[in-house]
Each structure stands twice: as structure tokens, then as C-alpha cells.
Amino acid sequence: MDTFSHALWGYGLFGFRKYPKFAALMGAMPDLISFGALFFMRVMDGTYQWGKPALATLPGWIYPAYTVGHSFVIAFAVIGLVAIWRKDIAFAMLAWPFHIMLDFPFHSLQYFPTPMFWPVSDFKVDGIPWSTWYIWFPNVAGIILLLAYRQHQKKRLTTRIDY
Ligand SMILES: [Zn+2]
């Protein structure tokens, strides 16, 4: 999915108890440390071009950065360690594995398939790219429904406190 959708899913699903901004950041993090960093570098040196970068133009470091961010094994290991120390922070961090869950069915083998079990297994799914209209529109609809639900929940909570 696009990075912004990931941030909103993370915010909506795991940022409703505490740390909403952190949950959004964790939702987007796997893409920020790879494509986000590349975007930033290209904007800084003036070589940025709109659109999906062609595979041949990508620097080598983007692959390990993408792999580490898109592995359930790494995500759950890190979150497990954080949970020993702070359960509330670990909960917001679940936006990270949710990102991976949203990515693996919606990336084809041609462009960054999700290395979800790295380094244990090399298994990857040949998914339908998220930019396909019948994937992307339900994604947006899902985000709108989720955020509307959270808004409704918040309102109910505040009216309860008002009594
Ligand atoms: Zn991703």
C-alpha cells in the first residue's frame, strides 16, 4: 500500500489508546526507512522524479533496508523485546506488522515482493499490486470507515465523561 495509507491504518488501529502519532509513524516506518529515505535524498540533491522509481535506478542499500522493515520475524522480535519493558508502547508498535500484512498480498514479484519471513525463509507471495483500482479503492474505503468509527467512539466517550 502507499505510505500514507499505512500511516492512517496504523493510527486508526493501534493509536486509539495512547501514542497516536507514534502508531502512525510505526505504520509507515518500513517504507520510510527505505523509499522514504531515498525520496529525501533525491529531493535534497535535486534528482527526484515523480512516480515509482525504476528498479535499475535504485541504490543497493534500499534492499536490506526494505527487507528488515518488511519482515514479521524482525518486527515481532523487536516488539516482543519492547513489550517486556512497556506494553503500551509495544501495542502502538503493532502498526508495524500490520503494514507487512497489508503489503504481502499487494506486491507482485516484479516490484518489491514482501520478504515477510526473512531471515528464516525466502518465501514471497506474487500478489496483486496495491495500485490496482479494485485494491486501492477498498483500501481508502476501509480507512474512512475505520477513522469514522474511531471518531464516533471518541465522541461517545467524551459525552459519557460529560455526564
Ligand atoms: Zn511497505
Side-chain angles (χ1 to χ4, degrees):
M1 225 52 81
D2 64 285
T3 311
F4 195 59
S5 291
H6 279 303
L8 291 176
W9 278 112
Y11 165 80
L13 287 174
F14 304 104
F16 66 98
R17 289 188 189 162
K18 271 179 171 182
Y19 316 119
K21 282 183 199 138
F22 179 62
L25 185 71
M26 286 311 292
M29 183 276 286
D31 292 349
L32 292 181
I33 61 167
S34 46
F35 282 94
L38 180 69
F39 169 81
F40 183 74
M41 284 162 68
R42 291 202 167 155
V43 167
M44 291 311 271
D45 66 15
T47 55
Y48 177 72
Q49 279 178 329
W50 177 256
K52 186 164 103 172
L55 283 176
T57 68
L58 292 173
W61 60 260
I62 203 160
Y63 295 96
Y66 194 85
T67 299
V68 168
H70 287 79
S71 159
F72 282 126
V73 181
I74 305 293
F76 283 118
V78 172
I79 293 170
L81 284 175
V82 173
I84 299 171
W85 165 62
R86 287 280 297 268
K87 290 245 172 358
D88 53 347
I89 293 178
F91 179 78
M93 286 178 80
L94 290 175
W96 177 10
F98 189 78
H99 177 126
I100 303 168
M101 224 180 83
L102 263 187
D103 265 0
F104 84 76
F106 303 127
H107 276 248
S108 73
L109 288 181
Q110 273 75 46
Y111 203 80
F112 284 86
T114 309
M116 54 185 150
F117 301 122
W118 185 86
V120 179
S121 151
D122 215 19
F123 177 79
K124 289 174 183 123
V125 172
D126 191 14
I128 308 161
W130 56 260
S131 48
T132 315
W133 69 269
Y134 58 83
I135 306 293
W136 202 75
F137 283 104
N139 161 59
V140 173
I143 290 171
I144 292 172
L145 278 175
L146 173 65
L147 296 185
Y149 171 70
R150 289 292 181 224
Q151 201 56 35
H152 173 75
Q153 223 180 11
K154 220 189 263 171
K155 235 184 245 161
R156 256 185 30 204
L157 269 173
T158 40
T159 42
R160 221 181 284 159
I161 292 162
D162 283 345
Y163 281 131

